[in-house]
Amino acid sequence: MTQWQDRRLVGEAHERRVAAALRARGWTVHPCGQGTYPPPVRDALRRTRSALRHFPDLIAARGADLVTIDAKDRMPSTDTDRYAISAATVNAGLLFTAAHAPTPLYYVFGNLKVLTPAEVVHYTAYALRHRSGAFHLVRAERAHRFDDVFGAEGTLAAA
């Protein structure tokens, strides 16, 4: 198995975990993005720099509320207690957010903490930057609790 395939399996497991956590809070969840495309489309996307590579993994609704989710596992770093989000992902997230306003895009990390693309940029504007410039490093303590963003477990859909 390749490194990409390993990461994909971890990512898909995290997406299922996030979807289950949302459903437990009364959200209706549906997959979207690369994981829903046939293999030839995924392969073509992997070879391009298109923002479509970073399309959200999930879309969810509860009552009149609609959100999109980009599930990010294997974070935070066990060494630095920071999330490392690629600059390409954040740029695509900002474009997505602008194009689809007012529908928010949330990054949900492996520890079920939550940030938006705008928060990532804000929290890293004057922070330590990755040497390559390819990643935004955000202290994990800056992220929101899952329940604070999506409601507590057992929350029912709004009428």
Side-chain angles (χ1 to χ4, degrees):
M1 199 176 311
T2 67
Q3 183 183 10
W4 180 84
Q5 288 169 324
D6 290 338
R7 285 194 328 261
R8 182 174 162 216
L9 291 174
V10 169
E12 287 172 350
H14 181 53
E15 288 171 25
R16 287 190 300 274
R17 183 171 154 237
V18 171
L22 286 165
R23 286 185 187 102
R25 288 156 179 79
W27 291 87
T28 300
V29 183
H30 192 75
C32 58
Q34 280 192 62
T36 64
Y37 303 145
V41 174
R42 285 196 307 257
D43 291 343
L45 276 174
R46 201 170 34 242
R47 292 187 294 272
T48 182
R49 291 180 11 187
S50 169
L52 288 173
R53 290 185 63 185
H54 306 284
F55 204 79
D57 302 310
L58 304 169
I59 188 167
R62 185 174 65 191
D65 294 327
L66 181 68
V67 299
T68 57
I69 308 291
D70 194 355
K72 301 284 182 204
D73 200 6
R74 294 198 181 202
M75 299 175 183
S77 163
T78 55
D79 298 327
T80 66
D81 200 29
R82 289 187 176 95
Y83 302 116
I85 307 103
S86 79
T89 295
V90 173
N91 290 340
L94 292 169
L95 289 170
F96 180 89
T97 301
H100 301 285
T103 304
L105 169 61
Y106 294 107
Y107 299 135
V108 178
F109 301 100
N111 59 358
L112 291 183
K113 293 287 190 101
V114 181
L115 287 169
T116 67
E119 288 172 326
V120 170
V121 171
H122 174 74
Y123 292 140
T124 60
Y126 300 100
L128 176 66
R129 296 178 192 263
H130 189 272
R131 290 183 304 276
S132 70
F135 292 91
H136 292 272
L137 302 175
V138 181
R139 294 186 56 79
E141 67 190 26
R142 298 282 197 171
H144 307 280
R145 290 176 357 127
F146 193 85
D147 288 353
D148 292 343
V149 177
F150 301 108
E153 206 166 328
T155 303
L156 298 176

